[in-house]
């Protein structure tokens, strides 16, 4: 069991807005896609995290997927250090181990901007 | 809320939507993430999202000197990389790809399964059942069987005879299960896959994998030898027939080509001196769903076959002149691929980027298999 924080009122309201659109009888797929675009556009990262938790807890697949994709898109070109800091990940690797891993997955670092290391 | 409070199960979901390179880098985050982002479950999940989200295909091509593949989009500045040699020796033949793995054959018999992006490779053992190499003709196919969660290599072989159209030539069917690591001979094909020697260059081709089956053009053994689209189902390992478009010549479509474009089985009719008709089976198995579009080009292009879509309106083609061209069907034009296209590209196929590790797929092998 993973303890989840209670969903706050603001997030719940957003989830309801999403559900209302997606359960409309006469909303076409195209209209829903457009809605998702606008709904998620410019959403602050903290709000996205809340939405991801809420959608997961309430088992709303479509919203969960869209929000996770949005968060993933926002991670593009960020460095490994950034990911560690942002998600509070501790690395227990020694510096030799880090070099070793980078060699093993050299293809992931090919042709990359130096500041995205 | 704080991002650091996101539970690991949600982080895994987020990571599974990252592009390939990002996942590779994230494996260096911590030991936990190195493991989590390498599990078969994660790899499958990542592949599913890749296929859904980006629709991006890359190309792997043979030139006389090496094999090259594209990284990043085929629109704009494509980055081409050279695949490290499989082994010393000559000609490498690209059979086809599935889930980011490409089956390649070196010197006609040594089979390798390669992930071009991660550069991992594994040798597929020789079949102990293989017919005498000097006298046979073989074609191959590679695909995934979801019913057994297994990748399979299929080899069709027959003894080359002097008779151009002998209907008594048996086509043997051997199947290699990656999971079990063994070859099996199944029932011979009910169809005639034999083609005359002088047509080998045009017609010997790999199985087109779509909808859980490998497809080849062959002939029915009944009177008149009409052409058929033979489909080898990877789950039950038997052949069946798929209806061809009603607009093609039933005596001669065996000399056409089958390719998979945008996830659909396509039949390519024509080329060389005339227009090319590309028939797409929009709904698998449904004859009425065959839809044609015609590529009318200057004969200077000498189109060999289509490779993949770049966008909704552009198709990459490979020519007999060993170049890559792009056909735009909105304005009906053909142009050179707008990147520094490799010269002398003889053949190839498209593939999706994936994390699937070929060596991890191959199961225990019995001594007898070598």
């Amino acid at each position: 069991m993973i303890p989840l924080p209670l969903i706050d009122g603001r997030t719940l309201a957003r989830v309801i807005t999403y559900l209302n659109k997606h359960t409309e009888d006469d909303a076409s797929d195209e209209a829903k896609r457009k809605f998702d675009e606008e709904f998620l556009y410019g959403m602050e990262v903290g709000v996205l995290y809340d939405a991801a938790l809420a959608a997961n807890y309430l088992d709303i697949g479509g919203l969960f997927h869209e929000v996770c994709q949005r968060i993933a898109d926002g991670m593009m070109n960020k460095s490994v250090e950034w990911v560690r800091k942002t998600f509070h990940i501790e690395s227990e690797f020694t510096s030799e181990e880090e070099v070793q891993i980078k060699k093993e997955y050299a293809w992931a670092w090919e042709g990359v901007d130096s500041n995205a290391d | 809320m704080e991002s650091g409070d996101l539970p690991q199960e949600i982080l895994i979901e987020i990571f599974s939507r990252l592009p390939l390179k990002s996942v590779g880098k994230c494996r260096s985050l911590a030991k936990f993430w190195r493991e989590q982002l390498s599990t078969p479950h994660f790899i499958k999940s990542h592949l599913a999202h890749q296929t859904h989200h980006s629709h991006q295909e890359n190309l792997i091509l043979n030139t006389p000197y090496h094999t090259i593949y594209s990284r990043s989009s085929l629109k704009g500045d494509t980055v081409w990389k050279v695949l490290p040699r499989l082994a010393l020796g000559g000609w490498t033949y690209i059979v086809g790809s599935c889930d980011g793995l490409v089956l390649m054959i070196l010197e006609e018999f040594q089979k390798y399964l390669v992930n071009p992006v991660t550069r991992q490779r594994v040798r597929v053992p020789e079949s102990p059942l293989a017919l005498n190499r000097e006298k046979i003709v073989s074609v191959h196919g590679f695909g995934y069987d979801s019913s057994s969660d297994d990748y399979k290599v299929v080899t069709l072989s027959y003894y080359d005879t002097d008779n151009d159209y002998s209907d008594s030539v048996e086509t043997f069917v051997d199947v290699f299960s990656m999971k079990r690591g063994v070859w099996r001979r199944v029932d011979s094909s009910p169809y005639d896959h034999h083609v005359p020697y002088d047509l080998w260059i045009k017609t010997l081709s790999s199985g087109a994998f779509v909808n859980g089956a490998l497809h080849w053009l062959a002939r029915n053994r009944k009177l008149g030898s009409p052409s058929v689209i033979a489909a080898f189902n990877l789950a039950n390992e038997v052949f069946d027939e798929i209806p061809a478009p009603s607009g093609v010549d039933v005596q001669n479509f065996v000399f056409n080509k089958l390719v998979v474009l945008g996830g659909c089985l396509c039949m390519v009719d024509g080329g060389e001196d005339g227009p090319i008709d590309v028939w797409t089976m929009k709904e698998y198995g449904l004859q009425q769903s065959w839809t044609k579009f015609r590529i009318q080009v200057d004969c200077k292009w000498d189109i060999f076959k289509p490779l993949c879509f770049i966008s909704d309106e552009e198709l990459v083609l490979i020519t007999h002149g060993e170049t890559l061209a792009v056909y735009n069907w909105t304005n009906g034009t053909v142009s050179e691929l707008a990147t520094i296209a490799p010269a002398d590209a003889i053949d190839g196929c498209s593939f999706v980027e994936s994390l699937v590790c070929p060596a991890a797929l191959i199961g225990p092998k019995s001594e007898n298999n070598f």
Side-chain angles (χ1 to χ4, degrees):
Chain A
M1 278 295 289
I2 297 175
L4 295 173
L6 291 173
I7 303 172
D8 65 63
R10 205 182 40 176
T11 305
L12 191 57
R14 285 201 180 89
V15 169
I16 289 172
T17 307
Y18 175 88
L19 284 173
N20 279 338
K21 184 64 186 182
H22 278 255
T23 51
E24 254 175 36
D25 279 334
D26 50 0
S28 66
D29 282 345
E30 188 51 48
K32 286 178 185 169
R33 253 197 300 275
K34 203 164 181 301
F35 168 82
D36 289 349
E37 266 298 315
E38 290 166 8
F39 182 66
L40 295 167
Y41 179 77
M43 228 188 222
E44 276 177 25
V45 140
V47 174
L48 281 175
Y49 297 141
D50 282 331
L53 267 183
N56 187 44
Y57 183 63
L58 297 170
D59 201 18
I60 305 168
L63 179 61
F64 183 65
H65 168 70
E66 287 300 325
V67 174
C68 285
Q69 186 64 62
R70 201 47 72 127
I71 298 173
D73 291 346
M75 281 171 66
M76 286 229 276
N77 298 322
K78 295 292 201 300
S79 68
V80 169
E81 263 318 304
W82 182 92
V83 177
R84 281 204 188 105
K85 274 215 193 83
T86 308
F87 297 113
H88 299 184
I89 295 173
E90 288 244 3
S91 165
E92 334 83 330
F93 289 131
T94 64
S95 37
E96 289 105 7
E97 281 171 331
E98 281 222 32
V99 168
Q100 185 52 42
I101 293 201
K102 272 195 170 161
K103 243 198 228 157
E104 188 179 339
Y105 302 119
W107 51 267
W109 270 272
E110 273 170 8
V112 152
D113 300 331
S114 55
N115 65 357
D117 241 351
Chain B
M1 64 163 271
E2 274 296 308
S3 53
D5 298 333
L6 277 178
Q8 280 166 352
E9 61 175 36
I10 295 193
L11 280 184
I12 289 174
E13 288 290 335
I14 293 169
F15 289 168
S16 73
R17 289 164 171 83
L18 286 171
L20 212 76
K21 271 187 180 169
S22 303
V23 175
K25 288 198 265 174
C26 283
R27 282 178 175 170
S28 71
L29 283 170
K31 287 189 177 131
F32 173 80
W33 289 107
R34 185 190 192 174
E35 284 164 21
Q36 284 301 309
L37 303 184
S38 309
T39 65
H41 181 264
F42 177 81
I43 288 173
K44 269 213 178 70
S45 175
H46 180 266
L47 177 62
H49 290 307
Q50 282 275 94
T51 325
H52 231 88
H53 181 64
S54 52
H55 296 286
Q56 180 185 292
E57 287 180 283
N58 293 58
L59 291 177
I60 184 166
L61 303 166
N62 265 337
T63 74
Y65 311 109
H66 44 230
T67 305
I68 55 172
Y69 62 98
S70 65
R71 288 299 317 275
S72 77
S73 172
L74 288 166
K75 283 184 94 72
D77 289 322
T78 308
V79 174
W80 293 96
K81 291 198 162 294
V82 176
L83 193 74
R85 281 196 168 286
L86 293 173
L88 288 177
W91 180 245
T92 310
Y93 170 57
I94 296 173
V95 174
S97 85
C98 177
D99 291 352
L101 298 179
V102 181
L103 180 67
M104 300 174 67
I105 302 185
L106 179 66
E107 295 283 25
E108 290 185 52
F109 298 106
Q110 296 176 44
K111 300 178 185 59
Y112 290 87
L113 208 55
V114 178
N115 182 322
V117 178
T118 64
R119 309 269 181 86
Q120 293 160 325
R121 77 223 1 217
V122 75
R123 173 101 187 260
V124 175
E126 299 296 315
S127 167
L129 310 159
L131 310 177
N132 182 332
R133 286 173 189 180
E134 305 302 310
K135 303 179 179 171
I136 59 154
V137 178
S138 297
V139 288
H140 313 272
F142 174 64
Y144 175 71
D145 168 26
S146 55
S147 73
S148 57
D149 187 26
D150 193 7
Y151 289 88
K152 294 180 177 175
V153 177
V154 178
T155 297
L156 308 184
S157 8
Y158 56 85
Y159 285 104
D160 183 29
T161 70
D162 289 336
N163 299 325
D164 276 350
Y165 291 91
S166 165
D167 63 1
S168 59
V169 176
E170 183 172 10
T171 302
F172 300 97
V173 183
D174 294 339
V175 182
F176 180 77
S177 150
M178 291 291 289
K179 218 175 191 172
R180 284 175 289 145
V182 296
W183 283 95
R184 266 180 68 231
R185 175 154 293 168
V186 298
D187 289 341
S188 293
S189 174
Y191 306 108
D192 176 14
H193 297 259
H194 174 254
V195 291
Y197 177 78
D198 58 332
L199 293 177
W200 277 6
I201 300 299
K202 291 197 330 181
T203 56
L204 274 192
S205 54
S206 308
F209 177 67
V210 72
N211 213 65
L214 286 165
H215 302 76
W216 283 273
L217 293 172
R219 267 185 289 240
N220 214 312
R221 291 185 188 276
K222 64 186 190 209
L223 194 67
S225 306
S227 307
V228 297
I229 301 177
F232 184 75
N233 184 304
L234 289 182
N236 58 26
E237 298 180 349
V238 291
F239 267 103
D240 200 347
E241 197 178 320
I242 298 293
S246 48
V248 293
D249 177 0
V250 78
Q251 281 311 116
N252 289 312
F253 76 71
V254 64
F255 301 117
N256 290 347
K257 294 178 199 68
L258 288 180
V259 295
V260 178
L261 296 173
C264 295
L265 184 67
C266 298
M267 184 188 292
V268 181
D269 187 0
E272 290 166 43
D273 300 328
I276 300 171
D277 287 337
V278 180
W279 293 89
T280 308
M281 188 180 237
K282 300 258 181 204
E283 242 188 86
Y284 185 78
L286 196 63
Q287 187 176 38
Q288 305 95 289
S289 73
W290 282 105
T291 320
K292 179 180 79 167
F293 68 84
R294 173 162 284 195
I295 301 177
Q296 195 102 34
V297 296
D298 216 292
C299 57
K300 76 166 188 176
W301 286 104
D302 202 7
I303 305 291
F304 175 46
K305 73 176 189 194
L307 286 177
C308 70
F309 290 122
I310 301 182
S311 64
D312 283 340
E313 47 182 39
E314 285 177 314
L315 183 65
V316 178
L317 312 156
I318 193 168
T319 72
H320 282 290
E322 299 170 1
T323 56
L324 294 182
V326 180
Y327 174 72
N328 181 314
W329 60 74
T330 308
N331 52 35
T333 56
V334 181
S335 49
E336 289 240 352
L337 189 62
T339 65
I340 303 175
D344 306 336
I346 296 175
D347 198 358
C349 71
S350 66
F351 70 95
V352 295
E353 293 188 339
S354 85
L355 294 161
V356 181
C357 174
L361 297 178
I362 203 158
K365 299 174 271 280
S366 74
E367 287 303 309
N368 297 336
N369 256 316
F370 288 98

